[in-house]
Amino acid sequence: MHHPTPPKWADRFLCWYCRTDLLEEIQGDAYELYERQCKSKGKFRADLAFGWNVLRFFRWSNLKRRTSPYRPAMMYKNYFQVFKRNLLRQKAYAALNIFGLAIGLACFVLISLYIRDEMSFDRMHTKSDRIFRMHEILESEGVGERSASLPFPVAEALQVDFPDQVEQYVRFFNFQSPALAMSTIDHEKEFYESRAFFTDSTFFDVFDFNLITGSKATALDHTNSVIITQSMAKKYFGDTNPMGKYLVFQGEHNLLVTGVLEDVPQSTHFQFDFLISFSTLTHYYGTSWPGWYWNPCWTYLLLRNPSDAPVLEAKMPAFIRKYFPEEIINDVTLTLFPLADIHLQSNHDYEIQPNGSMSTLYIFGCVAFFVVLIAGINFINLSTARAIKRAKEVGMRKTLGSYKGQLITQFLFESVAVCALAAVVAVGIVIAALPFFNTFAEKDIPFSTLLDPFFVAVLILLPLVVGIFAGLYPAFVLSSFQPITALKSASSGEKGLMFRKVLVVVQFSLSIILLVGTGISMDQLMMLQKNDTGFQQENVIMIQTLRTPVAQTFEAIKAEFKSNKNVLEVTAVEDVLGAKHQVGNYSFDVMEKTRPIPRLNVRHDFLKTFDIPLVAGRDYSEEIYTDDSLALLVNEQLVKQMGWTNETAIGKSFNGRLNKQIVGVVKDFNFASRHQPIKPLVIDLNLNPRAFNLFIKYMAVRVSPDDMNSTISFLESKWEEQYPGWPFEYFFLDSSLESLYKAESKLSKITIIFSALSILVACLGLFGLSTHTVEQRKKEMSIRKVLGSSDAEIFLLFTKRFFVLILIAIVIAFPLAYVLMKQWLSTFAYQVDIDFVIFVLVGFAALGIAFATIAFQAWKATRTNPATVLKND
Amino acid sequence: MKGEYLGELEELILLTVGILYKQAYGVAVMDEVERQTGRSLNISAVHAVLTRLEDKGLVSSKLGDPTNERGGRRKRIFLLTATGKRAIEEANALRNQLFNQIPKVALQFSI
């Protein structure tokens, strides 16, 4: 008898979703109705009704359940137990795994702490989004200065002219002096202070520094007032209350302490210890304040609105034309720089203190990411390799009724648990390492920063992500094993081998890139610091003289100094040669207008002291009295820019007067840091005693290297004889110049440490993997030995496969490292040639380290007695 | 409580299972309800109620013998349990008790 059949799709759908214990009756009922309706209403209607019924049966109570009702909590207890046992049974692996990941996490957290700290600069002020610093760019054809400071009257004029935008201003000024003398009334305590500034009484209207005693409103209102920080109060006044006491400024001027300030936090772009009321400067300038050319005042504006900045900037060209001196109005640009960006992004001339840099942060960010990636890969590699050992357990669990989902949960649980342990260890490492890291990175990061939501999130999410990734492979591969095969043979062996190989290659590529990067950045640093700046740096003693009585008696003290046979030359110079310089406006030959050009004011014997060769003309001479005003020395770069030759340059007139002539051309030397190429320079003899008030900041004394200590004490005794009450402050030029490349040296120090750690972590991983391989192939090796393999052959067999991986990593990493470093170097004016020796060294280092890691395991493999391994089979 | 309360449809189907004694399975219950009350139910609804009644312990079930009809599928035959019987009785008693308490006068309608 022929039966009409219901539509296949509906029937299949029903079979798919319906619980097996309900399927028979439901399907039976549906069929019965179908048959009945076929007879009464025809096949088409019956088909529709059948479909409809199938849909109606699709309800929760009829659906198949993937898992049977079990108690997850109970299972977790079991997972935890198994996890604990596994961990304890394989202590070495567990330690490798946890420790490796913990190092990676700790590195990541430390670097993040550093980066976060750098990013947080100057944000503690409530008005920080409205505070801007104004910069003056004074450049003609790319030569001149990009100054972080402004002329005296700019701030006030801005507030008067643009009251709608400028709410308040505050200036800082320190005579552009590297340090100023400060002492107690009784001269008991005398120091040179580098962090003393004159500042407007509006200081506290703009910034939110914490005044402990004194009144924010009036502390800086009166002339001769000074606010000092807590540590200075301690330094000068000990435990007595400093309020109402006097400090002597520059040995001649009493300042009343009107406030004590909490020490300035590290995270500001400039630090200060003394704030002297701006009106005190009337003592120095009387009624004739400096005008619109000299630009020594760091000027901060509090705008009414952050969005006023572009509005104000747009008004600057007219402002400049209105006020600035005729000869520079075409070369000046005034720009506003947001306070919070200064530390990382402002890299102008005359910054108050050297700033950080964004690109360094990017580099650190990359390093952090690399290290954590390497550690993560390690972890994934080791866990997947070890997972094979669990095949039997999986088989057993499946036989006893585990669902696939349960196994997946179990493996994920285990790997997340290990990661959580690693996170705990990482926190321990960070807490232990932070004090060292702080000294080393010159930071002041407190432990409490770790409680910041960002780091809590990092420490929770990162292990979770790594754990899930590491757990995914074993979870899915192992849980899909057929119980019978899993139980039967232990060596389902080399599953996922390719995957692990790729990861090892990635890991080592990253480490090699880090190593090469470190090598090249060290090379670059060494090149920058190397003593081929074109002038004598060694054995040059710089003595601070700005605003000291040296002005009146320079020749006398020079003669006194030179009476010692170990004192070779004595001169005076405007700034630290090789680090800083000033800018002056000059015109040459037939030029109609002056243009800003780097300048150094000097005294006689400048070239001799610094051993700078002349290429044409003559040096300044003490016999020619007019040299002070009518003669000029320039460098080759200036000659080149003017289109002259060294010989024709001699006798060219300057500043529009025919009797003012260039008398000599000096060989180019790095008068500024080697971050920039050598620019044009004029060396201007300035014999005016008043120059020591402003232009000439140092005496430079070149001494012979013999018997240095007695020479210095000789200089000191002569100084104290001549200038009682003035501290003898000196430093060696070469050590001072080293600080020019502090940023680079910090960068390379930090990258060295972290790339070393990354290699360590990668090796931990390699060690784990090789141990695992040796264990896996123990039987194979034993059989090989029995059949006559030599120890060497077995040793090679093991080391070969890892060697190949490292070689591939090298091949991948070298070009990448080359390109990356080329890019980094292109930010420097002086670039070291990328030395391929570094690549070779790094290559051998990587192979060597990897070899050392594997060799032990491989050696162990050759030493095992085949009988002990094979007897159990 | 879900376990104790007997819904209107549940009561109806429980009664029908009793009526169909030994013949009560999905389609038969559906047909009988329609014949007796005129309510046409979807077969899936009948199944859902029957399953619920079984969960509550008011009916029990066993699979019948396969026949040629229904594509060879067996029927699940439902039978009243003692609890089921008591539930019907209690429902009935409650109804009668309530009905009897209605004052006569309230039921007197003159047309």
Side-chain angles (χ1 to χ4, degrees), chain A residues 384-399:
Chain A
T384 52
R386 299 303 290 173
I388 304 298
K389 299 214 97 185
R390 309 284 297 274
K392 273 202 176 129
E393 182 192 335
V394 170
M396 186 54 78
R397 277 181 183 272
K398 277 200 153 181
T399 314

Side-chain angles (χ1 to χ4, degrees), chain A residues 19 197 211 265 431 587 673 682:
Chain A
R19 270 164 67 170
F197 295 91
L211 196 62
I431 288 176
S587 68
S673 87
V682 301

Side-chain angles (χ1 to χ4, degrees), chain A residues 413-450:
Chain A
F413 169 84
E414 279 186 20
S415 93
V416 170
V418 175
C419 288
L421 273 180
V424 173
V425 178
V427 171
I429 296 179
V430 169
I431 288 176
L434 196 56
F436 302 103
F437 185 73
N438 269 339
T439 19
F440 170 79
E442 290 156 48
K443 286 280 171 200
D444 207 2
I445 304 166
F447 293 121
S448 58
T449 327
L450 280 175

Side-chain angles (χ1 to χ4, degrees), chain A residues 454-507:
Chain A
F454 172 79
F455 289 104
V456 174
V458 162
L459 284 170
I460 291 175
L461 285 181
L462 216 57
L464 200 65
V465 170
V466 174
I468 288 176
F469 265 103
L472 272 183
Y473 171 81
F476 282 96
V477 173
L478 286 181
S479 63
S480 63
F481 279 178
Q482 289 297 322
I484 186 71
T485 41
L487 282 174
K488 211 162 55 184
S489 65
S491 62
S492 34
E494 302 292 303
K495 272 209 169 189
L497 189 65
M498 197 57 211
F499 175 65
R500 284 202 294 280
K501 279 182 176 171
V502 170
L503 287 184
V504 167
V505 169
V506 171
Q507 211 175 18

